[in-house]
Amino acid sequence: MKTFDQLNVTGLREWINLPDLGMVGLRAKIDTGARTSCLHASDIQPFERDGEQWVRFAAHLGTLVQRRHRCEAPVVSVKTVKSSNGHVQTRYVIRTRLTLGERDWPVEFTLTCRKTMRYRILLGSKALIDGQLLVNPALNYVQKKPILADLSGAQ
């Protein structure tokens, strides 16, 4: 029998932090069918800082009560994404630190409008692989909710 001792188990939904963006206590849906993770954003505006391409945007948090959080991040790339319904869209890609349970690692997110979706954040397969996570879709919120101290950058 094969064992998965080096992997942490995660459920279909988990609490996460994005400390470099100043965002804590976020609900994320795990989506093994998506390669890249995505974050609900609007008012996406590219700009240049010190000769590098950056993007500023409003991240939308919460499902019942909407909260907007202004963010800025360097652009990693611009990517064409085809959604599950066949819609093609060009999106900015950013890389930011993600905290899930006791793990903390950099994850790439595409920025897109997810206002009609229940979950504002999806974690795709690349983030799961990089975080060495194994998904049990029968479970939810397996990992402990990350604490606010993760904003300090300490691991």
Side-chain angles (χ1 to χ4, degrees), residues 4-64:
F4 298 102
D5 296 336
Q6 77 281 11
L7 302 176
N8 275 351
V9 174
T10 183
L12 191 58
R13 294 165 191 88
E14 292 290 346
W15 290 104
I16 66 165
N17 289 348
L18 299 176
D20 294 342
L21 297 178
M23 298 167 38
V24 297
L26 309 172
R27 288 187 327 151
K29 183 168 184 208
I30 309 304
D31 185 356
T32 60
R35 177 165 164 63
T36 309
S37 301
C38 68
L39 172 64
H40 178 39
S42 65
D43 303 325
I44 301 168
Q45 301 170 349
F47 67 98
E48 193 172 300
R49 177 178 287 161
D50 299 326
E52 294 183 11
Q53 189 176 12
W54 281 60
V55 65
R56 72 176 46 97
F57 57 95
H60 296 260
L61 315 170
T63 50
L64 298 175

Side-chain angles (χ1 to χ4, degrees), residues 60-109:
H60 296 260
L61 315 170
T63 50
L64 298 175
V65 177
Q66 287 282 318
R67 295 177 293 148
R68 291 169 48 104
H69 181 77
R70 294 298 300 170
C71 301
E72 292 184 352
V75 173
V76 173
S77 66
V78 178
K79 184 179 207 173
T80 301
V81 177
K82 187 174 185 179
S83 69
S84 58
N85 65 7
H87 180 70
V88 177
Q89 184 182 50
T90 300
R91 300 180 186 174
Y92 289 98
V93 180
I94 64 166
R95 180 180 294 118
T96 191
R97 214 164 29 101
L98 176 133
T99 305
L100 189 154
E102 296 178 2
R103 293 194 178 220
D104 185 291
W105 71 101
V107 173
E108 289 187 358
F109 287 90

